[in-house]
Amino acid sequence: MRMDHVSYACEADGLLATTERIASALGVEAVKGGVHPRFGTRNMIIPLTDHHYLEVVEVLDHPASGKAPFGQAVRARSAAGGGWMGWCVEVDDLAPFEQRLGRQAVPGNRKFPDGRELVWKQIGILGLIADPQVPYMLKWEGDPSLHPSNAYPGTVRMSRLTIAGSAERVTEWLGEPVERPLEDVAVEWVSPKGTPGIMSVTFDTASGAVTI
């Protein structure tokens, strides 16, 4: 179990403009991800160090976006103005989570222009919708070289998350200490009044620390 990526739902001016603001703040370039046909969304990617990445995601006018929980989550966060939607943990085995949550993981995919296909299974988006401090879980399948962090050699490091919520709640959700997947990312847990979830993410860049 390890930290995989953070997801940012695009703001009112759309995917490209939102991604450009974030990439510019970090001093890097973003790359096109692609369409997730099963979810009715599309994304852009900023590779980071340590096998991490940042995705900026946008909901599409697509039938799947109203049915798939991931599409619903992106739509709701963007409708609220956009911003950090959640974080994701990579696991080797989704079966324990399927058993605890009482449902099956769902497949995801997107194709590259050259025909190669990135494939995975994920579970936990309904939990994230209900309680945005908790991560969803993902298992990558297929060619490991296609992991989004490999789009280009990352130079920016994700160093800190500030999460409204509690380590105890996330530990309960994961079934093991939350410190395990976050061993290389510092976390500040805060408990403000209001909705739980990611408040900010801090990155180490060539120009110093940048918090978004």
Side-chain angles (χ1 to χ4, degrees):
M1 179 181 290
R2 63 169 194 81
M3 176 75 170
D4 191 72
H5 68 273
V6 286
S7 299
Y8 192 100
C10 72
E11 298 168 15
D13 53 359
L15 180 65
L16 297 180
T18 302
T19 304
E20 176 55 33
R21 280 194 295 277
I22 294 173
S24 178
L26 299 179
V28 296
E29 296 291 331
V31 298
K32 290 183 179 179
V35 172
H36 310 126
R38 297 176 185 269
F39 305 149
T41 57
R42 65 171 180 160
N43 69 357
M44 293 190 72
I45 300 295
I46 297 176
L48 306 171
T49 63
D50 304 316
H51 206 61
H52 298 154
Y53 69 97
L54 185 166
E55 73 165 348
V56 183
V57 63
E58 177 179 56
V59 71
L60 301 173
D61 183 12
H62 186 287
S65 66
K67 299 177 182 178
F70 189 81
Q72 295 170 10
V74 176
R75 185 184 301 279
R77 189 69 182 93
S78 288
W84 293 113
M85 187 181 82
W87 57 293
C88 179
V89 169
E90 180 185 4
V91 299
D92 294 327
D93 185 7
L94 288 169
F97 299 98
E98 292 177 323
Q99 293 169 4
R100 282 202 298 117
L101 298 178
R103 55 183 176 271
Q104 296 295 305
V106 299
N109 70 293
R110 64 176 172 86
K111 285 191 174 182
F112 290 77
D114 62 8
R116 294 178 301 165
E117 188 172 26
L118 183 67
V119 291
W120 67 91
K121 288 185 177 179
Q122 67 185 49
I123 192 170
I125 294 296
L126 292 175
L128 181 151
I129 291 173
D131 187 3
Q133 68 179 296
V134 302
Y136 64 102
M137 287 68 68
L138 173 151
K139 182 179 186 299
W140 293 104
E141 301 180 334
D143 184 351
S145 71
L146 298 182
H147 188 271
S149 68
N150 295 326
Y152 63 73
T155 58
V156 172
R157 176 176 175 267
M158 178 167 38
S159 59
R160 176 178 293 274
L161 298 175
T162 299
I163 301 177
S166 72
E168 293 77 15
R169 168 68 182 110
V170 181
T171 289
E172 176 188 20
W173 170 253
L174 290 173
E176 58 184 271
V178 66
E179 290 81 10
R180 182 176 175 186
L182 292 172
E183 62 182 358
D184 53 356
V185 180
V187 179
E188 179 184 4
W189 299 96
V190 296
S191 299
K193 296 179 181 179
T195 304
I198 296 178
M199 304 291 287
S200 66
V201 182
T202 298
F203 302 88
D204 292 339
T205 77
S207 301
V210 173
T211 298
I212 296 173

